[in-house]
């Protein structure tokens, strides 16, 4: 009996430690679910960050009703992706929205961890951790030119060191706007609204800016012609001004919330998170097996990270 129990325990441990199925397919046009967590069924996966050399990923596991948010990670070693684990710097406080620097040596993220003392903050600030000797250092909170007593979210860093992020502040045009800070003299300067036609009196959120600063993909609520609760748009930087946003269309956007865009550093793939659902509001009488199939399908209203080849999409959008 002891041998049977031990075997069962070992088998369970092996299953929980199985290497994740992470692939970067090339020849497809419809967005695919990128990663699945069989140990956390129907739990929100919120965002995605992939290192420039494609050998490390970070993403947020978002508990029901935002009860707790933590960053998970996997690393590719000798050609094999390692089992998911809580990031070395995460797991104690609400942490979300990881983003690599252009060279992969830094990882920015938003957190409610204490700024001073031991009490968690009620608002999100932006922190950064640096990779030294293949290990991530203790995160550092960015200075007061970036962080405030309001929320700062969704960092995105360009090749010239500019830090873009979104924030809910007194000077926003809408509830949440996009800001940018230059990196000069070894530190970040006072953040400014990006200007142009990016920020509106509506709600702009989750802004990813391309490494060369030529375009931004971001979420927005309340715009005329939108598909759902929140859509993804792209704006191009031309003649020194951010242009009018273009809706990414129904292949990307759904009647539900679509958010957290990210493009790999080589521009090859667009990642985004969606609450899209293919569950209908009525069926013929369902058996238990059929009900399980309906409720457990990937597009069931729970946040999932999707990806799709982006280069041809980008070229089409540039011509619009």
């Amino acid at each position: 009996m002891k041998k049977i129990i031990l075997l069962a325990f070992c088998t369970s441990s092996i299953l929980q430690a199985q290497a994740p199925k992470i692939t970067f397919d090339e020849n497809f046009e419809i967005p695919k679910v990128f990663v699945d967590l069989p140990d956390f069924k129907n739990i929100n996966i919120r965002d995605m960050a992939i290192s420039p050399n494609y050998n490390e990923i970070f993403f947020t596991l978002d508990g029901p009703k935002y009860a707790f948010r933590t960053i998970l990670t996997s690393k590719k070693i000798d050609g094999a992706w390692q089992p998911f684990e809580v990031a070395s710097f995460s797991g104690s406080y609400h942490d979300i929205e990881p983003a690599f620097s252009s060279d992969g040596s830094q990882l920015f993220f938003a957190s409610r961890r204490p700024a001073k003392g031991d009490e968690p903050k009620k608002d999100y600030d932006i922190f950064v951790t640096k990779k030294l000797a293949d290990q991530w250092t203790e995160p550092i909170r960015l200075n007061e030119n970036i962080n405030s007593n309001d929320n700062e979210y969704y960092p995105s860093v360009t090749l010239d060191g500019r830090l873009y992020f979104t924030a809910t502040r007194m000077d926003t045009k809408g509830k949440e706007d996009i800001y940018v800070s230059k990196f000069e003299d070894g530190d970040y300067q006072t953040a400014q609204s990006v200007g142009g036609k990016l920020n509106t009196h509506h709600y702009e959120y989750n802004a990813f800016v391309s490494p060369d600063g030529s375009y931004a993909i971001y979420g927005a609520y309340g715009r005329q012609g939108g598909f759902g609760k929140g859509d993804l748009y792209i704006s191009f930087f031309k003649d020194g001004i951010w242009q009018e946003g273009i809706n990414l269309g129904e292949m990307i956007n759904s009647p539900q919330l679509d958010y957290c865009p990210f493009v790999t550093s080589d521009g090859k793939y667009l990642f985004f998170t969606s609450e899209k659902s293919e569950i209908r509001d009525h069926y013929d009488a369902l058996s238990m097996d059929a009900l399980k199939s309906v409720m457990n399908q990937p597009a069931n209203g729970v946040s999932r990270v999707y990806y799709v080849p982006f280069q041809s999409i980008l070229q089409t959008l540039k011509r619009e």
Side-chain angles (χ1 to χ4, degrees):
M1 179 62 71
K2 289 183 178 179
K3 289 183 179 179
I4 294 174
I5 293 173
L6 179 60
L7 178 61
F9 174 79
C10 291
T11 302
S12 175
S13 298
I14 291 170
L15 287 173
Q16 290 179 6
Q18 285 180 340
K21 295 179 181 179
I22 297 174
T23 59
F24 295 90
D25 297 334
E26 295 190 4
N27 298 317
F28 67 101
E29 297 179 354
I30 304 301
K32 294 182 177 183
V33 173
F34 178 64
V35 68
D36 190 27
L37 292 177
D39 293 333
F40 294 93
K41 288 186 179 297
N42 293 329
I43 297 297
N44 297 311
I45 301 176
R46 194 179 188 282
D47 43 48
M48 182 60 60
I50 299 172
S51 61
N53 58 8
Y54 282 79
N55 70 358
E56 197 167 10
I57 68 171
F58 290 89
F59 59 94
T60 302
L61 188 71
D62 194 351
K65 297 184 178 180
Y66 323 118
F68 186 67
R69 295 165 155 180
T70 193
I71 295 175
L72 304 187
T73 186
S74 178
K75 192 171 184 179
K76 194 174 185 179
I77 300 176
D78 296 329
W81 287 98
Q82 303 305 296
F84 292 126
E85 60 184 14
V86 177
S88 60
F89 53 84
S90 193
S92 295
Y93 304 99
H94 281 239
D95 299 324
I96 59 174
E97 301 171 347
F100 279 95
S101 61
S102 57
D103 63 359
S105 67
Q106 298 182 87
L107 190 78
F108 296 78
F109 63 98
S111 178
R112 283 168 48 183
R113 62 186 59 208
K116 297 178 182 178
D118 298 324
E119 290 297 318
K121 292 194 71 180
K122 293 183 179 181
D123 64 292
Y124 283 90
D125 287 341
I126 295 177
F127 287 74
V128 63
T129 173
K130 300 180 180 181
K131 180 172 278 192
L132 295 176
D134 209 35
Q135 300 294 321
W136 293 102
T137 61
E138 183 68 21
I140 298 172
R141 180 178 179 268
L142 299 188
N143 66 29
E144 302 303 322
N145 290 334
I146 303 297
N147 291 313
S148 68
N149 290 326
D150 295 310
N151 287 303
E152 284 76 36
Y153 299 117
Y154 216 76
S156 182
V157 186
T158 56
L159 286 166
D160 62 5
R162 293 173 192 257
L163 172 66
Y164 289 82
F165 62 96
T166 61
T168 55
R169 295 180 172 179
M170 294 296 292
D171 64 342
T172 58
K173 291 183 179 179
K175 184 173 176 58
E176 186 175 341
D177 278 0
I178 305 167
Y179 291 80
V180 62
S181 170
K182 295 181 180 179
F183 189 79
E184 295 178 345
D185 301 324
D187 213 340
Y188 289 100
Q189 306 304 300
T190 301
Q192 306 287 336
S193 173
V194 294
K197 297 181 179 180
L198 260 184
N199 292 323
T200 69
H201 65 278
H202 295 296
Y203 196 134
E204 284 74 40
Y205 61 91
N206 293 167
F208 167 84
V209 179
S210 64
D212 63 1
S214 64
Y215 66 85
I217 303 176
Y218 60 99
Y221 293 120
R223 295 193 177 187
Q224 187 175 2
F227 288 89
K229 295 180 180 178
D231 284 1
L232 293 176
Y233 292 77
I234 187 168
S235 172
F236 293 99
F237 192 73
K238 295 180 181 178
D239 302 322
I241 296 175
W242 287 103
Q243 303 298 306
E244 190 78 41
I246 302 169
N247 191 298
L248 288 184
E250 61 184 344
M251 186 180 76
I252 303 298
N253 292 311
S254 73
Q256 306 304 318
L257 178 63
D258 302 291
Y259 61 118
C260 289
F262 159 72
V263 177
T264 50
S265 59
D266 57 7
K268 193 170 184 178
Y269 297 102
L270 166 65
F271 288 76
F272 64 98
T273 305
S274 179
E275 293 180 353
K276 66 177 68 178
S277 175
E278 295 178 2
I279 297 177
R280 305 198 303 269
D281 62 359
H282 70 280
Y283 294 87
D284 294 334
L286 292 173
S287 66
M288 182 60 74
D289 287 341
L291 180 62
K292 288 180 181 178
S293 178
V294 166
M295 294 301 180
N296 290 328
Q297 64 182 303
N300 65 356
V302 175
S303 289
R304 294 283 185 266
V305 173
Y306 294 78
Y307 78 119
V308 65
F310 186 56
Q311 291 175 337
S312 62
I313 296 174
L314 181 62
Q315 292 306 313
T316 299
L317 291 166
K318 284 181 176 179
R319 292 193 293 268
E320 290 189 3

